Structure formats: structure tokens, C-alpha cells
Amino acid sequence: MKFDSKKDKEGNLCFDFKKQNDILVVTMSGSMDSQSASEFAKVIDEKLNSGENVFIVNLNSLEHLSSAGLRNIVIVLKKLDTLGKKMFFVSSNEDVNRIFKMAGLYNSLIKIFDAEEAAYNAIK
Amino acid sequence: MTDMPDSDNYELTISAVVENIPVILKFTKGILNELGFNKHDSFDVQTAVDEACINIINHGYEKEESGDICIKVNNSADAFVISIQSYGKPFDPETAAKPDLTSQVSERRIGGLGVYLIHQLMDKVSYHYSDNVSTLTMIKHRNV
């Protein structure tokens, strides 16, 4: 499966990766909807298989987030928890954060940092 | 598939399959942009439409039964009115399971969350079933 690393003009869900020290930063853009949301779990599975242990997931550029997106995030977190691996989220996107808050996930079960630097500092 | 925009009314009829969710969202987003809704309102409507359609796909039509979703948008000066019609078994969002918003991540179930989000994101939601047609109508008032 190929994931386009550049932001898609059509608003499709895209993933961009950068490695910083031992942390894999995953930047998502486009629409995390009922059709595309499961791609997140597939992408993270691939990265786990290639040996990644710590993830920062940046949600700033998401244009849409539905309950299927939240469900996939929770599924991934449960799996990482079982494996003893870590994932931190970054979002200063008020629409995305509003969905997390409505679902009761914002900074309760899922810690969301407002900037990548804050997430790095928390990991150190 | 029909796509017939005129001045203030838009309509899309499409097969109720998950692969068509992006098509439905692009249709809705295009109208919201054209009507000048701000990105926050647009985000809310997009999420509500996604939740409504996936409920129809997952619960309104049995697996062996396929059918259509018909989306109608009416624009008035101060509100975006979207009606989503389907022809499967009745699925009243009001009777859907309530979401679990409190338990630990290892135990968290996300069932029922979609309907909860629809009510949170839209200003008015109503459901009507008559002559084998389910109609979910959602209204979002325009924020400037």
C-alpha cells in the first residue's frame, strides 16, 4: 500500500513521516472519515513492524475527523499499550480538539500537546 | 448518481457503501464552500454527515441488501438544512446506544458516539420514517 506524503488537493487522508532521534513523527492531513480512518491503524502497524517504538502524531492539518477516526486512534493506543510502546498527540486545531473534547478523550485518556516541541519535552 | 445544483437546492443520490463516504463529503464540502460557511461550521457539518451516512450504511441496510442514500441540501439566509434519506429498515438515531465517555482507554467502547456527535455538532436534528423512507434532517445555523 502506498501513502502519498504530500498533502492531497482532494482532501484525502495523507501521512508524512520524519524521524527525530528515536521518535517517529507522523503528520496527518486531509479527511479522517469513516472510509479512510482505518488507514491510520494500518500505517502504524507497518511502522511497528519496522521497529518503531515512540510516535508523535500531529493532527494539525486534519480537515475532518469522525468517530471512526477516534475509534481507530483508541484501537491503536490499546495495541501500543499492550506492546509497551508510546504515542503522543499534537493538535492546536480547534475543530479537531473539539471532537476529542466531545468524546471525553481530550487530555483525559489521550494527552494532546499544542505543539510538537511540548511533546518532545514530555518524552525526554 | 445525480448532482443537480440550482440556486439554493442541491441533491445527490448514491449507493450506500462506505467507499462513497468521501464522495458524499466532497459533495457537502463543495456546497458549504460555495455558500460561504466558515471552516468551523463546515467541519461540524462534514462530521455530522459522515456519522449519519455511516449509520445508514452499517445499520439501515442489511449486509445482503444494498440501497441508495439521497442527500438534499436547502440553503436559507441563516441556515444550512440537510436531509438524508434512505430506504432500508428504520434506524432512529435517538434509539442508538449511548456512548461511553468515561471508562479507561483499555475498556473504552466508541459505539453510539456518532449519534452523540451529530447532536453536539448540529443545531437541530430530527428523524422521520414514513412509507419505507427514513429521513434524517439536520440544521446548522450560520455563524459569522
Side-chain angles (χ1 to χ4, degrees):
Chain A
M1 189 178 293
K2 181 179 175 292
F3 295 102
D4 191 346
S5 66
K6 289 180 185 166
K7 192 168 173 179
D8 180 306
K9 280 182 189 164
E10 293 286 310
N12 295 324
L13 186 61
C14 295
F15 298 86
D16 194 25
F17 307 99
K18 68 177 176 195
K19 192 75 182 274
Q20 200 147 330
N21 299 324
D22 291 331
I23 301 165
L24 186 70
V25 180
V26 183
T27 301
M28 296 173 68
S29 58
S31 174
M32 196 176 189
D33 56 52
S34 297
Q35 193 270 332
S36 65
S38 61
E39 289 176 20
F40 176 63
K42 288 179 196 160
V43 163
I44 298 303
D45 265 348
E46 282 178 13
K47 297 299 176 185
L48 286 169
N49 289 338
S50 55
E52 299 296 342
N53 289 305
V54 184
F55 300 85
I56 289 177
V57 180
N58 190 322
L59 306 173
N60 279 341
S61 299
L62 277 189
E63 293 169 19
H64 169 64
L65 174 63
S66 71
S67 64
L70 297 176
R71 190 178 307 112
N72 273 272
I73 287 171
V74 170
I75 288 168
V76 166
L77 283 174
K78 282 182 185 175
K79 180 167 186 175
L80 290 170
D81 197 35
T82 312
L83 297 172
K85 317 235 171 182
K86 301 279 183 205
M87 179 174 282
F88 300 85
F89 289 86
V90 172
S91 169
S92 57
N93 179 327
E94 61 183 282
D95 296 314
V96 166
N97 291 348
R98 196 149 34 93
I99 300 292
F100 274 98
K101 285 173 188 170
M102 285 175 183
L105 295 169
Y106 188 81
N107 284 349
S108 57
L109 292 180
I110 301 177
K111 171 73 180 162
I112 297 180
F113 296 92
D114 58 6
E116 282 184 18
E117 195 179 359
Y120 283 120
N121 291 336
I123 294 168
K124 279 177 192 166
Chain B
M1 188 170 120
T2 55
D3 184 353
M4 316 180 301
D6 58 29
S7 60
D8 278 334
N9 297 299
Y10 306 79
E11 188 172 325
L12 171 73
T13 299
I14 196 166
S15 297
V17 292
V18 69
E19 290 76 15
N20 280 335
I21 290 282
V23 180
I24 293 166
L25 293 179
K26 277 166 197 161
F27 169 75
T28 316
K29 187 178 183 178
I31 299 169
L32 288 158
N33 287 345
E34 189 175 313
L35 298 177
F37 276 80
N38 71 35
K39 69 176 187 136
H40 306 298
D41 285 345
S42 182
F43 192 102
D44 289 357
V45 172
Q46 292 280 88
T47 298
V49 169
D50 185 349
E51 303 298 350
C53 291
I54 199 68
N55 269 337
I56 292 167
I57 292 165
N58 288 341
H59 305 293
Y61 290 111
E62 301 291 350
K63 279 180 184 166
E64 63 275 13
E65 178 193 6
S66 62
D68 286 342
I69 291 177
C70 177
I71 296 170
K72 294 177 181 173
V73 177
N74 295 300
N75 179 49
S76 66
D78 63 345
F80 181 89
V81 182
I82 183 162
S83 297
I84 303 178
Q85 291 187 326
S86 58
Y87 315 95
K89 64 181 182 184
F91 177 74
D92 184 348
E94 298 302 327
T95 63
K98 293 284 178 284
D100 171 8
L101 300 178
T102 55
S103 57
Q104 292 302 307
V105 72
S106 57
E107 297 157 3
R108 182 69 74 102
R109 292 170 292 105
I110 307 283
L113 185 58
V115 170
Y116 176 79
L117 289 180
I118 289 173
H119 284 276
Q120 294 289 308
L121 294 167
M122 301 299 282
D123 294 310
K124 191 173 176 195
V125 181
S126 61
Y127 174 80
H128 179 70
Y129 183 80
S130 164
D131 295 332
N132 297 318
V133 181
S134 286
T135 306
L136 180 72
T137 303
M138 307 188 289
I139 299 175
K140 184 77 173 176
H141 294 298
R142 189 187 291 267
N143 290 308
V144 202

